[in-house]
């Protein structure tokens, strides 16, 4: 979740969300992170409830995450009842595991305090500006990711607690030096190998293939020689961008008059607050302020809200929609005016109105160009939608061609050449268009042209109506067309089979000490020795490291295919201990330790689940 925070976004809705988050954050500090339970629970873990509100909130966050990640595909998955049931159960299982981990942490005397959470937030670089915590940036980033300070803080608490448990339980896990050295030597081992390759292509050129073999292979492998389903399409494209419209001065003035809110900067107020735990403390703060003490200094010294305190109590500029009710109800109207003690759900506040900015309407001359562009766009869209409706009706009423639709649209339909599903013409390369063409509903009986399509809208301001004018079903290419391919394949197959048989005979001779004569008779010889490493990744190297260790002055032999498709005889002469750079060895050792830790942690969670008493609520299905 932490890694998915995006940069902020400027949007009216975001400002509203931001206001709500500021209310929560300023009036409660980083927040009251634990949500209270109720009798309607999702599960009980050793008596500890996971209430339904918590569970449904996590399910909603998971849905949002999947929707952002999968886009349109998510709507298809979400329609699958079984898929959503599995996802709900996965979320519940994660929450149960977290509860078990919390309980285990408490048994070890571990825990994460609110102060640690706040400090972690302050130290997070993405929430900082010029190296200092930025409250506005923090709230904007959370709002952009549909998070509240409470939900983010709880996620952070879980991560820190999980790490604390890992450190406590697995902190002594390590890889012994001797073990690390042994693994490093094995990983960096080198093998000295000679090779003798049997040229499969040369053998293939000598192979004879009969007509019977060709026919048998073709009939058995027709699916390898298919011509894909193909289409030819006729289409009409409508584009709002091409429907230029004229705009009169009267229309410009009318739009300006009707949309004053678009050109108005709303009134803003800037407040500073000091939050206390008790009413007496708030009264003492208010008395001190009335006696002339500095507000910022008192906020830093007395306020229980750490974040606003760091800024001397300053909350920044707030619009009406984002101002907390507690501040609105204080009815501060004069710059520098102090409130009485304000009672809130989290304590007591003393607030000061620092500044105001009245609402301002931009003059018409300043926004004229923007209005012209907007009115033109609106008129073009109106014309586009009106024409779209007429074309749709024409294409529906005359379903045997696009002639009627052409007359209404005032353009000739465009005809494509032949194309297949993976070669859609660029001008039609939109998913809704592709779905219509390849969905099957526009092809008539026996591949004949079918009906015109409905209007297909693309990206809001473009639309297509089309019909399939010709269609070829997927079919196997005739043998005459692919005969050369079939013959080449058969020759290679027979050559490779022969090469393997020859290699096995030579291998037997090599192992029996008669290899020199056999190799000479086959016209082969081993080349110069090459040193191969384990991480080379090619087929010959992999085969070489699977050979048994050679005896003294006696190579170990084997057979492999090389990257060129030839069959290769291998002679393993020597195995050398490799060396690994110290930094690489440290990284490998760290990776081994992390892998061991992961295995141990999984075992810990399995054991905690095995010993736990888990009771599921009526709304949760443990079998899903």
């Amino acid at each position: 979740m932490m890694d998915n925070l995006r940069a902020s976004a400027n949007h009216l809705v975001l400002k509203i969300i931001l206001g709500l988050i500021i209310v929560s954050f300023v009036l409660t500090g980083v927040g009251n992170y634990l949500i209270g339970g109720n009798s309607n629970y999702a599960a009980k873990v050793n008596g500890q409830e996971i209430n339904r509100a918590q569970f449904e909130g996590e399910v909603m966050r998971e849905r949002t995450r999947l929707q952002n990640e999968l886009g349109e595909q998510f709507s298809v998955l979400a329609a699958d009842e079984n898929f959503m049931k599995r996802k709900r159960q996965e979320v519940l299982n994660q929450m149960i595991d977290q509860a078990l981990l919390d309980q285990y942490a408490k048994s070890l005397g571990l825990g994460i305090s609110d102060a640690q959470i706040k400090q972690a937030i302050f130290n997070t670089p993405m929430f900082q500006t010029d190296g200092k915590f930025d409250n506005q940036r923090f709230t904007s980033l959370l709002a952009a990711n549909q998070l509240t300070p409470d939900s983010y803080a709880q996620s952070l608490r879980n991560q820190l607690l999980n790490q604390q448990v890992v450190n406590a339980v697995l902190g002594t896990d390590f890889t012994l030096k001797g073990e690390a050295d042994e693994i490093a030597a094995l990983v960096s081992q080198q093998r000295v190998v000679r090779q003798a390759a049997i040229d499969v292509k040369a053998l293939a050129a000598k192979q004879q293939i009969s007509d019977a073999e060709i026919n048998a292979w073709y009939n058995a492998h027709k699916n390898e020689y298919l011509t894909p389903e193909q289409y030819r399409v006729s289409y009409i494209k409508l584009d709002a961008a091409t429907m230029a419209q004229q705009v009169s001065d009267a229309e410009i003035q009318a739009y300006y008059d009707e949309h004053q809110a678009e050109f108005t900067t709303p009134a803003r107020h800037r407040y500073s607050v000091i939050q206390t735990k008790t009413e007496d403390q708030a009264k003492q703060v208010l008395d001190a302020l009335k006696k002339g003490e500095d507000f910022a200094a008192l906020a830093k010294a007395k306020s229980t809200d750490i974040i606003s305190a760091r800024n001397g109590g300053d909350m920044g500029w707030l619009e009406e929609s984002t101002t907390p009710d507690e501040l609105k109800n204080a009815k501060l109207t004069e710059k520098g005016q102090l409130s009485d003690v304000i009672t809130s759900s989290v304590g007591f506040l003393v607030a000061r109105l620092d500044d105001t900015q009245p609402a301002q309407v931009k003059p018409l001359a300043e926004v004229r160009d923007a209005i012209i562009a907007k009115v033109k766009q609106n008129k073009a869209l109106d014309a586009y939608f009106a024409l779209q409706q007429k074309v749709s009706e024409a294409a529906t009423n005359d379903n045997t061609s696009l002639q009627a639709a052409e007359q209404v649209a005032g353009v000739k339909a465009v005809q494509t050449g032949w194309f297949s599903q993976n070669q859609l013409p660029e001008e039609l390369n939109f998913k809704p268009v592709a779905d219509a063409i390849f969905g099957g509903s526009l092809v008539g009986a026996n591949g004949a042209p079918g009906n015109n399509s409905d209007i297909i809208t693309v990206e809001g301001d473009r639309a297509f109506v089309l019909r399939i004018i010709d269609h070829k079903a997927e079919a196997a290419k005739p043998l005459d067309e692919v005969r050369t391919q079939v013959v080449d394949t058969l020759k290679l197959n027979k050559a490779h089979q022969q090469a393997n048989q020859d290699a096995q005979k030579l291998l037997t001779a090599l192992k029996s000490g008669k290899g020199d004569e056999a190799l000479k008779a086959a016209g082969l010889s081993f080349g110069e020795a090459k040193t191969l490493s384990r991480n080379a990744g090619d087929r010959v190297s992999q085969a070489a490291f699977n050979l048994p260790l050679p005896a003294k002055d006696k190579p170990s032999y084997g057979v492999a295919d090389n990257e060129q498709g030839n069959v290769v005889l291998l002679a393993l002469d020597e195995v050398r201990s490799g060396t690994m750079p110290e930094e690489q060895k440290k990284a490998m050792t760290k990776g081994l330790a992390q892998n061991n830790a992961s295995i141990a942690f999984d075992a810990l969670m399995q054991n905690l689940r095995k010993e736990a008493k888990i009771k599921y609520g009526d709304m949760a299905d443990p079998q899903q």
Side-chain angles (χ1 to χ4, degrees):
M1 183 181 293
M2 294 175 65
D3 293 334
N4 289 335
L5 286 172
R6 300 187 296 271
S8 60
N10 292 321
H11 196 282
L12 180 61
V13 175
L14 175 58
K15 292 182 180 179
I16 296 171
I17 297 173
L18 178 59
L20 296 175
I21 293 177
I22 289 175
V23 174
S24 169
F25 200 78
V26 171
L27 299 183
T28 66
V30 172
N32 178 20
Y33 310 134
L34 297 178
I35 303 172
N38 56 51
S39 59
N40 191 8
Y41 62 87
K44 288 184 179 180
V45 184
N46 293 324
Q48 175 186 332
E49 282 192 4
I50 298 173
N51 68 50
R52 183 162 187 168
Q54 289 174 295
F55 172 62
E56 294 297 346
E58 288 300 321
V59 169
M60 184 58 66
R61 276 186 280 277
E62 176 65 7
R63 283 180 64 98
T64 301
R65 184 191 69 80
L66 288 173
Q67 193 164 13
N68 291 337
E69 182 178 307
L70 301 176
E72 294 181 0
Q73 186 181 356
F74 175 72
S75 60
V76 178
L77 294 173
D80 184 343
E81 184 178 351
N82 290 328
F83 173 81
M84 296 310 300
K85 281 184 178 180
R86 289 195 299 272
K87 280 299 170 186
R88 288 175 66 84
Q89 192 58 41
E90 287 174 13
V91 171
L92 184 56
N93 287 338
Q94 291 170 2
M95 296 181 75
I96 290 171
D97 285 346
Q98 189 61 55
L100 289 169
L101 202 59
D102 291 344
Q103 294 168 6
Y104 187 69
K106 289 179 182 177
S107 73
L108 297 177
L110 305 176
I112 304 296
S113 67
D114 289 356
Q116 287 174 290
I117 295 291
K118 291 180 179 180
Q119 195 58 48
I121 292 174
F122 292 147
N123 293 339
T124 302
M126 73 177 70
F127 299 144
Q128 296 177 352
T129 300
D130 297 329
K132 295 182 179 180
F133 177 78
D134 186 332
N135 186 38
Q136 185 172 357
R137 181 173 176 80
F138 172 79
T139 52
S140 296
L141 287 173
L142 261 60
N145 287 273
Q146 300 181 344
L147 294 171
T148 66
D150 284 354
S151 63
Y152 175 74
Q154 183 59 49
S155 173
L156 183 58
R157 183 191 297 278
N158 291 343
Q159 292 183 40
L160 294 175
L161 186 63
N162 290 0
Q163 189 59 53
Q164 205 174 65
V165 171
V166 170
N167 293 340
V169 177
L170 308 172
T172 57
D173 191 17
F174 58 92
T175 303
L176 295 174
K177 186 177 187 305
E179 179 186 357
D181 291 342
E182 186 176 331
I183 294 174
L186 187 61
V187 170
S188 56
Q189 185 187 91
Q190 296 177 327
R191 297 198 167 193
V192 180
V193 176
R194 290 172 293 134
Q195 303 178 37
I198 301 175
D199 190 337
V200 171
K201 288 184 178 179
L203 284 177
K206 301 176 182 179
Q207 302 301 316
Q208 298 297 316
I209 308 298
S210 68
D211 288 342
E213 289 174 310
I214 293 171
N215 289 327
W217 175 270
Y218 172 76
N219 289 329
H221 298 84
K222 281 185 178 181
N223 287 341
E224 298 177 18
Y225 307 104
L226 293 177
T227 297
E229 189 174 19
Q230 292 187 301
Y231 302 81
R232 286 179 62 236
V233 168
S234 179
Y235 69 90
I236 296 171
K237 178 183 177 181
L238 306 179
D239 189 342
T242 64
M243 299 181 182
Q245 303 292 318
Q246 297 299 314
V247 179
S248 67
D249 289 341
E251 289 173 319
I252 295 171
Q253 185 66 53
Y255 188 93
Y256 179 76
D257 293 340
E258 293 171 10
H259 299 83
Q260 286 284 301
E262 291 182 22
F263 313 113
T264 301
T265 302
R268 301 195 302 170
H269 303 277
R270 190 161 192 159
Y271 296 93
S272 290
V273 298
I274 298 175
Q275 179 179 304
T276 65
K277 292 183 178 179
T278 68
E279 185 175 10
D280 287 341
Q281 290 171 335
K283 288 179 178 179
Q284 292 172 13
V285 167
L286 184 58
D287 289 341
L289 291 171
K290 288 180 177 179
K291 291 176 182 178
E293 290 198 33
D294 183 68
F295 194 104
L298 275 175
K300 291 178 180 179
K302 301 291 186 181
S303 182
T304 57
D305 175 25
I306 296 177
I307 292 175
S308 63
R310 284 198 171 196
N311 299 319
D314 182 21
M315 293 178 63
W317 287 102
L318 298 175
E319 297 177 3
E320 181 74 14
S321 61
T322 59
T323 302
D325 289 338
E326 287 89 341
L327 298 182
K328 290 179 183 177
N329 296 335
K331 299 187 182 304
L332 301 178
T333 58
E334 300 295 330
K335 184 176 178 180
Q337 182 181 355
L338 292 171
S339 71
D340 292 328
V341 174
I342 299 171
T343 302
S344 75
S345 60
V346 294
F348 299 87
L349 300 173
V350 175
R352 182 183 70 189
L353 177 61
D354 294 331
D355 205 354
T356 62
Q357 288 182 349
Q360 294 181 339
V361 181
K362 294 179 181 179
L364 175 58
E366 185 177 330
V367 296
R368 182 181 178 86
D369 289 344
I371 291 176
I372 290 173
K374 185 67 177 177
V375 174
K376 280 185 175 182
Q377 181 186 36
N378 290 345
K379 291 182 71 175
L381 285 173
D382 289 343
Y384 160 75
F385 286 122
L387 182 60
Q388 177 181 305
Q389 180 65 32
K390 292 178 182 178
V391 170
S392 175
E393 290 174 355
T396 300
N397 294 335
D398 179 4
N399 221 346
T400 60
S401 74
L402 290 179
Q403 288 182 358
E406 287 176 326
Q407 292 177 357
V408 171
V411 296
K412 288 289 292 181
V414 177
Q415 293 189 0
T416 71
W418 287 104
F419 62 87
S420 61
Q421 190 160 352
N422 59 355
Q423 295 175 324
L424 189 65
E426 184 176 356
E427 65 270 21
L428 298 177
N429 194 13
F430 300 96
K431 187 177 185 304
V433 177
D435 290 345
I437 294 173
F438 305 124
S441 61
L442 302 183
V443 178
N446 300 318
N451 296 326
N452 296 334
S453 73
D454 294 329
I455 282 287
I456 305 166
T457 58
V458 174
E459 299 178 357
D461 60 355
R462 278 166 288 175
F464 293 86
V465 60
L466 56 86
R467 68 181 285 105
I468 295 173
I469 56 176
D470 215 342
H471 172 263
K472 295 178 184 177
E474 181 183 70
K477 295 178 182 178
L479 176 56
D480 288 346
E481 187 177 328
V482 297
R483 185 181 184 87
T484 300
Q485 292 174 253
V486 172
V487 170
D488 289 344
T489 299
L490 286 170
K491 284 185 174 182
L492 277 175
N493 288 350
K494 293 180 77 171
H496 195 272
Q497 184 178 3
Q498 179 184 330
N500 271 318
Q501 292 171 352
D502 294 345
Q504 290 302 321
K505 292 177 182 178
L506 290 169
L507 185 62
T508 300
L510 287 165
K511 289 180 177 180
S512 65
K514 300 177 181 179
D516 290 343
E517 297 87 346
L519 286 170
K520 186 176 180 181
L524 297 175
S525 62
F526 282 111
E528 294 294 324
K530 294 182 180 180
T531 301
L532 306 180
S533 60
R534 186 182 294 275
N535 61 0
D538 61 278
R539 297 175 185 175
V540 170
S541 296
Q542 291 173 0
F545 278 88
N546 286 327
L547 292 177
L549 299 179
K552 186 176 180 181
D553 299 327
K554 188 175 182 180
S556 175
Y557 296 104
V559 175
D561 288 347
N562 67 12
E563 302 301 314
Q564 291 73 43
N566 296 321
V567 177
V568 181
L569 287 161
L570 303 178
L572 173 59
D573 295 324
E574 182 184 355
V575 175
R576 296 174 181 171
S577 296
T579 57
M580 181 178 288
E582 195 60 33
E583 287 302 314
Q584 186 178 345
K585 186 187 293 186
K586 287 180 181 178
M588 182 199 71
T589 303
K590 182 179 179 181
L592 290 171
Q594 289 175 342
N595 185 60
N596 291 342
S598 177
I599 293 172
F601 188 76
D602 288 344
L604 168 67
M605 293 308 303
Q606 290 176 12
N607 190 56
L608 290 176
R609 267 190 171 268
K610 183 178 179 182
E611 295 181 355
K613 294 181 179 178
I614 301 173
K615 182 179 180 182
Y616 292 88
D618 294 337
M619 43 68 69
D621 184 357
Q623 303 302 318
Q624 288 296 328

